[in-house]
Amino acid sequence: MKAKILELLKQNKKLFLSGEEISRQIGITRAAVWKYIKQLQSEGYLIESVSNNGYKLVDCPDLLTYEELSENLKTNMIGSKIIHFDSIDSTNNKAKELAEKGEPEGTVIISEAQTSGKGRVGRLWYSKAYQGICLSIILRPNIDLLSVPLITQIACAAACKATMKITDGVQIKWPNDLLLGGRKFCGILTESSGEIDKVNYIIVGIGINVNQEKNDFPESLEKKATSIKIETQNQISRKNLVCDIFYEFEKMYMEYKENGIINDVIDYCRRYSSIVGKQIIVERNGTGNRAKVVDINNCGQLVVELESGNTECISTGNITIL
Ligand code: BTN
């Protein structure tokens, strides 16, 4: 009912609609209309209410609900269904639970806050409610498990391209981070299920610090984390950013899924890489090795030259830039 009232108000944006008209069109009492209007106002919708005139929608909040995103969505598949929460433990966990039950490709789980947001290697993802973006996309491509890291590269490139519409200076820190001013503002956690030769589903979890202020981060992250707002001094529309990410992601994902073409994605990740050509420490299974980054190859692996002179292709690892 609430969604129907919102739709009606949106269709008549900046015009007054009488309570009677709304109740007639939707088939509920005027008292019920009033109750739902109050709810929408408490969610941040600016609705003017004038006796004898009715209700007028003046402005919509920057919420990541289907109602708010659908106006600007330019995708066919990604975000065709959006399941929105005010708070949840982890959107990746929810997406996995739904994928196990057969939720189709393209469904996105979004939460305004997470109580146990997960990062790679057991790290936590911290995001203050309504300030950042926490979402997980369910995918079902016909690929093998070894190709899953390519999906992370597609997500990095999509988030990078979308953020570049707001500010330049975005860098990709292989395999799954985006940086602004050398600090992390976006992390991607890709999880998958399936057999070695056939993926059942993939969950691409994307976390972005958008409108956080410096003091919104715990002290331990002060030097490592940033947000787009901190770097640009501008309040950013999370709705627009999400729609842009979906659009960029779908284009590259469909090109890979349908035609197996990934070169452009890898070229992009190479071009905006913060580590290609740099000396790094790569940490794998508890041991760290000094190496020079030579390239990112077309399998999405990092090509490094170790101190021994040997060249290795790495599929995953924790990177520290020296
Ligand atoms: C990392 O930095 O290692 C990856 C962070 C990924 C965080 C996102 S937020 C949405 C999704 N749900 C989670 O629990 N994690 C990812």
mmCIF file of all heavy atoms in Angstrom, residues 89-93 114 116-121 123-125 133-136 176-177 184 186-189 204-208, ligand 1:
data_model
loop_
_atom_site.group_PDB
_atom_site.id
_atom_site.type_symbol
_atom_site.label_atom_id
_atom_site.label_comp_id
_atom_site.label_asym_id
_atom_site.label_seq_id
_atom_site.Cartn_x
_atom_site.Cartn_y
_atom_site.Cartn_z
ATOM 1 N N ASP A 89 22.703 -8.613 9.007
ATOM 2 C CA ASP A 89 24.075 -8.959 9.418
ATOM 3 C C ASP A 89 25.055 -8.687 8.269
ATOM 4 O O ASP A 89 26.011 -7.925 8.413
ATOM 5 C CB ASP A 89 24.165 -10.416 9.928
ATOM 6 C CG ASP A 89 23.689 -11.438 8.895
ATOM 7 O OD1 ASP A 89 23.011 -11.043 7.916
ATOM 8 O OD2 ASP A 89 23.995 -12.637 9.050
ATOM 9 N N SER A 90 24.792 -9.315 7.112
ATOM 10 C CA SER A 90 25.671 -9.127 5.957
ATOM 11 C C SER A 90 24.852 -9.380 4.686
ATOM 12 O O SER A 90 24.160 -10.405 4.598
ATOM 13 C CB SER A 90 26.843 -10.129 6.045
ATOM 14 O OG SER A 90 27.293 -10.505 4.774
ATOM 15 N N THR A 91 24.930 -8.476 3.737
ATOM 16 C CA THR A 91 24.158 -8.671 2.495
ATOM 17 C C THR A 91 24.681 -9.899 1.749
ATOM 18 O O THR A 91 23.921 -10.583 1.068
ATOM 19 C CB THR A 91 24.241 -7.428 1.580
ATOM 20 O OG1 THR A 91 25.604 -7.118 1.337
ATOM 21 C CG2 THR A 91 23.530 -6.236 2.191
ATOM 22 N N ASN A 92 25.985 -10.197 1.880
ATOM 23 C CA ASN A 92 26.515 -11.401 1.225
ATOM 24 C C ASN A 92 25.873 -12.661 1.813
ATOM 25 O O ASN A 92 25.521 -13.591 1.084
ATOM 26 C CB ASN A 92 28.043 -11.485 1.381
ATOM 27 C CG ASN A 92 28.759 -10.900 0.181
ATOM 28 O OD1 ASN A 92 28.310 -9.918 -0.397
ATOM 29 N ND2 ASN A 92 29.888 -11.485 -0.197
ATOM 30 N N ASN A 93 25.731 -12.677 3.155
ATOM 31 C CA ASN A 93 25.106 -13.849 3.791
ATOM 32 C C ASN A 93 23.667 -14.025 3.303
ATOM 33 O O ASN A 93 23.235 -15.130 2.988
ATOM 34 C CB ASN A 93 25.099 -13.701 5.312
ATOM 35 C CG ASN A 93 26.481 -13.909 5.903
ATOM 36 O OD1 ASN A 93 27.421 -14.270 5.182
ATOM 37 N ND2 ASN A 93 26.628 -13.656 7.180
ATOM 38 N N GLN A 114 24.931 -2.793 8.148
ATOM 39 C CA GLN A 114 25.216 -4.219 8.376
ATOM 40 C C GLN A 114 25.762 -4.364 9.795
ATOM 41 O O GLN A 114 26.569 -3.544 10.229
ATOM 42 C CB GLN A 114 26.271 -4.726 7.392
ATOM 43 C CG GLN A 114 25.819 -4.756 5.936
ATOM 44 C CD GLN A 114 26.884 -5.345 5.038
ATOM 45 O OE1 GLN A 114 26.664 -6.320 4.352
ATOM 46 N NE2 GLN A 114 28.060 -4.740 5.037
ATOM 47 N N SER A 116 27.310 -7.293 10.784
ATOM 48 C CA SER A 116 28.542 -8.106 10.659
ATOM 49 C C SER A 116 29.020 -8.085 9.211
ATOM 50 O O SER A 116 29.203 -9.160 8.609
ATOM 51 C CB SER A 116 28.309 -9.555 11.055
ATOM 52 O OG SER A 116 27.593 -9.665 12.224
ATOM 53 N N GLY A 117 29.209 -6.899 8.657
ATOM 54 C CA GLY A 117 29.703 -6.792 7.278
ATOM 55 C C GLY A 117 31.062 -7.486 7.159
ATOM 56 O O GLY A 117 31.927 -7.301 8.012
ATOM 57 N N LYS A 118 31.224 -8.292 6.109
ATOM 58 C CA LYS A 118 32.446 -9.103 5.983
ATOM 59 C C LYS A 118 33.364 -8.562 4.904
ATOM 60 O O LYS A 118 32.912 -8.122 3.852
ATOM 61 C CB LYS A 118 32.105 -10.543 5.560
ATOM 62 C CG LYS A 118 31.149 -11.263 6.458
ATOM 63 C CD LYS A 118 30.975 -12.705 6.000
ATOM 64 C CE LYS A 118 30.311 -12.805 4.633
ATOM 65 N NZ LYS A 118 30.084 -14.181 4.192
ATOM 66 N N GLY A 119 34.669 -8.645 5.167
ATOM 67 C CA GLY A 119 35.665 -8.353 4.151
ATOM 68 C C GLY A 119 36.434 -9.618 3.834
ATOM 69 O O GLY A 119 36.112 -10.694 4.357
ATOM 70 N N ARG A 120 37.458 -9.505 2.984
ATOM 71 C CA ARG A 120 38.285 -10.678 2.670
ATOM 72 C C ARG A 120 39.109 -11.050 3.891
ATOM 73 O O ARG A 120 39.304 -10.249 4.792
ATOM 74 C CB ARG A 120 39.225 -10.359 1.502
ATOM 75 C CG ARG A 120 38.561 -10.526 0.153
ATOM 76 C CD ARG A 120 39.519 -10.132 -0.939
ATOM 77 N NE ARG A 120 40.701 -10.956 -0.984
ATOM 78 C CZ ARG A 120 41.952 -10.506 -0.882
ATOM 79 N NH1 ARG A 120 42.179 -9.234 -0.695
ATOM 80 N NH2 ARG A 120 42.970 -11.326 -0.963
ATOM 81 N N VAL A 121 39.635 -12.250 3.858
ATOM 82 C CA VAL A 121 40.486 -12.826 4.908
ATOM 83 C C VAL A 121 40.003 -12.501 6.333
ATOM 84 O O VAL A 121 40.796 -12.068 7.179
ATOM 85 C CB VAL A 121 41.984 -12.459 4.703
ATOM 86 C CG1 VAL A 121 42.595 -13.229 3.568
ATOM 87 C CG2 VAL A 121 42.212 -10.942 4.479
ATOM 88 N N ARG A 123 38.319 -10.150 7.562
ATOM 89 C CA ARG A 123 38.225 -8.768 8.047
ATOM 90 C C ARG A 123 36.761 -8.352 8.152
ATOM 91 O O ARG A 123 35.882 -8.963 7.568
ATOM 92 C CB ARG A 123 38.953 -7.819 7.093
ATOM 93 C CG ARG A 123 40.456 -7.882 7.231
ATOM 94 C CD ARG A 123 41.094 -6.804 6.397
ATOM 95 N NE ARG A 123 40.833 -7.012 4.988
ATOM 96 C CZ ARG A 123 41.769 -7.091 4.054
ATOM 97 N NH1 ARG A 123 43.036 -6.987 4.392
ATOM 98 N NH2 ARG A 123 41.454 -7.245 2.798
ATOM 99 N N LEU A 124 36.526 -7.268 8.915
ATOM 100 C CA LEU A 124 35.164 -6.738 9.040
ATOM 101 C C LEU A 124 35.002 -5.579 8.074
ATOM 102 O O LEU A 124 35.978 -4.893 7.760
ATOM 103 C CB LEU A 124 34.938 -6.210 10.457
ATOM 104 C CG LEU A 124 34.821 -7.242 11.572
ATOM 105 C CD1 LEU A 124 34.675 -6.541 12.910
ATOM 106 C CD2 LEU A 124 33.630 -8.158 11.323
ATOM 107 N N TRP A 125 33.783 -5.381 7.592
ATOM 108 C CA TRP A 125 33.508 -4.185 6.782
ATOM 109 C C TRP A 125 32.609 -3.289 7.604
ATOM 110 O O TRP A 125 31.511 -3.666 7.992
ATOM 111 C CB TRP A 125 32.847 -4.537 5.447
ATOM 112 C CG TRP A 125 32.569 -3.302 4.645
ATOM 113 C CD1 TRP A 125 31.363 -2.661 4.547
ATOM 114 C CD2 TRP A 125 33.495 -2.545 3.869
ATOM 115 N NE1 TRP A 125 31.493 -1.550 3.739
ATOM 116 C CE2 TRP A 125 32.794 -1.446 3.313
ATOM 117 C CE3 TRP A 125 34.861 -2.672 3.589
ATOM 118 C CZ2 TRP A 125 33.398 -0.496 2.496
ATOM 119 C CZ3 TRP A 125 35.466 -1.728 2.776
ATOM 120 C CH2 TRP A 125 34.741 -0.664 2.233
ATOM 121 N N ILE A 133 27.361 2.419 0.830
ATOM 122 C CA ILE A 133 26.608 1.473 -0.004
ATOM 123 C C ILE A 133 27.064 0.066 0.397
ATOM 124 O O ILE A 133 28.271 -0.206 0.424
ATOM 125 C CB ILE A 133 26.908 1.714 -1.504
ATOM 126 C CG1 ILE A 133 26.359 3.075 -1.947
ATOM 127 C CG2 ILE A 133 26.346 0.585 -2.361
ATOM 128 C CD1 ILE A 133 26.804 3.502 -3.341
ATOM 129 N N CYS A 134 26.114 -0.779 0.751
ATOM 130 C CA CYS A 134 26.424 -2.183 1.058
ATOM 131 C C CYS A 134 25.453 -3.020 0.234
ATOM 132 O O CYS A 134 24.238 -3.004 0.512
ATOM 133 C CB CYS A 134 26.202 -2.505 2.530
ATOM 134 S SG CYS A 134 27.221 -1.537 3.639
ATOM 135 N N LEU A 135 25.953 -3.720 -0.756
ATOM 136 C CA LEU A 135 25.041 -4.510 -1.590
ATOM 137 C C LEU A 135 25.708 -5.782 -2.098
ATOM 138 O O LEU A 135 26.942 -5.876 -2.151
ATOM 139 C CB LEU A 135 24.531 -3.667 -2.769
ATOM 140 C CG LEU A 135 25.515 -3.127 -3.807
ATOM 141 C CD1 LEU A 135 25.815 -4.168 -4.883
ATOM 142 C CD2 LEU A 135 24.929 -1.892 -4.479
ATOM 143 N N SER A 136 24.880 -6.745 -2.442
ATOM 144 C CA SER A 136 25.373 -8.012 -2.989
ATOM 145 C C SER A 136 24.528 -8.407 -4.193
ATOM 146 O O SER A 136 23.298 -8.377 -4.126
ATOM 147 C CB SER A 136 25.301 -9.118 -1.942
ATOM 148 O OG SER A 136 26.040 -8.746 -0.797
ATOM 149 N N ASN A 176 40.834 -6.397 -5.061
ATOM 150 C CA ASN A 176 39.421 -6.088 -4.760
ATOM 151 C C ASN A 176 39.183 -4.750 -4.074
ATOM 152 O O ASN A 176 38.137 -4.571 -3.472
ATOM 153 C CB ASN A 176 38.834 -7.200 -3.882
ATOM 154 C CG ASN A 176 39.444 -7.171 -2.496
ATOM 155 O OD1 ASN A 176 40.654 -6.982 -2.366
ATOM 156 N ND2 ASN A 176 38.644 -7.309 -1.480
ATOM 157 N N ASP A 177 40.142 -3.847 -4.123
ATOM 158 C CA ASP A 177 39.941 -2.566 -3.431
ATOM 159 C C ASP A 177 39.988 -1.405 -4.408
ATOM 160 O O ASP A 177 40.690 -1.463 -5.418
ATOM 161 C CB ASP A 177 41.063 -2.320 -2.402
ATOM 162 C CG ASP A 177 41.002 -3.300 -1.249
ATOM 163 O OD1 ASP A 177 39.956 -3.951 -1.080
ATOM 164 O OD2 ASP A 177 42.014 -3.394 -0.521
ATOM 165 N N LYS A 184 41.600 3.481 1.094
ATOM 166 C CA LYS A 184 40.524 2.616 0.573
ATOM 167 C C LYS A 184 39.153 3.228 0.829
ATOM 168 O O LYS A 184 38.840 3.634 1.939
ATOM 169 C CB LYS A 184 40.651 1.260 1.271
ATOM 170 C CG LYS A 184 39.546 0.278 0.988
ATOM 171 C CD LYS A 184 39.995 -1.109 1.423
ATOM 172 C CE LYS A 184 38.873 -2.105 1.459
ATOM 173 N NZ LYS A 184 39.344 -3.449 1.746
ATOM 174 N N CYS A 186 36.465 1.587 -1.165
ATOM 175 C CA CYS A 186 35.573 0.541 -1.688
ATOM 176 C C CYS A 186 36.253 -0.825 -1.597
ATOM 177 O O CYS A 186 37.446 -0.949 -1.894
ATOM 178 C CB CYS A 186 35.231 0.874 -3.145
ATOM 179 S SG CYS A 186 34.428 -0.461 -4.058
ATOM 180 N N GLY A 187 35.498 -1.816 -1.152
ATOM 181 C CA GLY A 187 36.010 -3.186 -1.094
ATOM 182 C C GLY A 187 35.000 -4.129 -1.726
ATOM 183 O O GLY A 187 33.792 -3.895 -1.645
ATOM 184 N N ILE A 188 35.525 -5.162 -2.364
ATOM 185 C CA ILE A 188 34.643 -6.119 -3.035
ATOM 186 C C ILE A 188 34.920 -7.520 -2.496
ATOM 187 O O ILE A 188 36.084 -7.922 -2.379
ATOM 188 C CB ILE A 188 34.852 -6.054 -4.566
ATOM 189 C CG1 ILE A 188 34.269 -4.723 -5.064
ATOM 190 C CG2 ILE A 188 34.177 -7.227 -5.289
ATOM 191 C CD1 ILE A 188 34.810 -4.238 -6.343
ATOM 192 N N LEU A 189 33.856 -8.212 -2.122
ATOM 193 C CA LEU A 189 33.994 -9.578 -1.614
ATOM 194 C C LEU A 189 33.179 -10.504 -2.498
ATOM 195 O O LEU A 189 31.954 -10.471 -2.490
ATOM 196 C CB LEU A 189 33.490 -9.660 -0.165
ATOM 197 C CG LEU A 189 33.522 -11.052 0.461
ATOM 198 C CD1 LEU A 189 34.955 -11.556 0.620
ATOM 199 C CD2 LEU A 189 32.829 -11.037 1.825
ATOM 200 N N VAL A 204 28.546 -11.213 -5.581
ATOM 201 C CA VAL A 204 29.504 -10.101 -5.628
ATOM 202 C C VAL A 204 29.050 -9.068 -4.602
ATOM 203 O O VAL A 204 28.012 -8.417 -4.772
ATOM 204 C CB VAL A 204 29.547 -9.444 -7.029
ATOM 205 C CG1 VAL A 204 30.519 -8.275 -7.026
ATOM 206 C CG2 VAL A 204 29.965 -10.456 -8.076
ATOM 207 N N GLY A 205 29.807 -8.963 -3.515
ATOM 208 C CA GLY A 205 29.473 -7.998 -2.458
ATOM 209 C C GLY A 205 30.297 -6.729 -2.656
ATOM 210 O O GLY A 205 31.513 -6.787 -2.787
ATOM 211 N N ILE A 206 29.609 -5.604 -2.695
ATOM 212 C CA ILE A 206 30.312 -4.328 -2.905
ATOM 213 C C ILE A 206 30.023 -3.401 -1.725
ATOM 214 O O ILE A 206 28.856 -3.166 -1.377
ATOM 215 C CB ILE A 206 29.843 -3.645 -4.227
ATOM 216 C CG1 ILE A 206 30.045 -4.602 -5.416
ATOM 217 C CG2 ILE A 206 30.584 -2.327 -4.448
ATOM 218 C CD1 ILE A 206 29.597 -4.038 -6.767
ATOM 219 N N GLY A 207 31.084 -2.920 -1.109
ATOM 220 C CA GLY A 207 30.945 -1.955 -0.012
ATOM 221 C C GLY A 207 31.638 -0.662 -0.412
ATOM 222 O O GLY A 207 32.797 -0.696 -0.836
ATOM 223 N N ILE A 208 30.929 0.463 -0.295
ATOM 224 C CA ILE A 208 31.536 1.750 -0.678
ATOM 225 C C ILE A 208 31.298 2.780 0.424
ATOM 226 O O ILE A 208 30.167 2.947 0.905
ATOM 227 C CB ILE A 208 30.954 2.295 -2.012
ATOM 228 C CG1 ILE A 208 31.086 1.246 -3.112
ATOM 229 C CG2 ILE A 208 31.656 3.585 -2.426
ATOM 230 C CD1 ILE A 208 30.684 1.716 -4.488
HETATM 231 C C1 BTN B 1 37.147 -6.197 1.659
HETATM 232 O O1 BTN B 1 37.469 -5.034 1.900
HETATM 233 O O2 BTN B 1 37.924 -7.144 1.882
HETATM 234 C C2 BTN B 1 35.813 -6.450 1.010
HETATM 235 C C3 BTN B 1 34.698 -5.697 1.688
HETATM 236 C C4 BTN B 1 33.345 -6.047 1.138
HETATM 237 C C5 BTN B 1 32.214 -5.404 1.903
HETATM 238 C C6 BTN B 1 30.894 -5.649 1.259
HETATM 239 S S1 BTN B 1 29.621 -4.658 1.971
HETATM 240 C C7 BTN B 1 28.401 -5.556 1.121
HETATM 241 C C8 BTN B 1 28.825 -7.016 1.153
HETATM 242 N N1 BTN B 1 28.365 -7.661 2.365
HETATM 243 C C9 BTN B 1 29.361 -8.033 3.165
HETATM 244 O O3 BTN B 1 29.233 -8.599 4.259
HETATM 245 N N2 BTN B 1 30.538 -7.701 2.581
HETATM 246 C C10 BTN B 1 30.354 -7.063 1.299
#
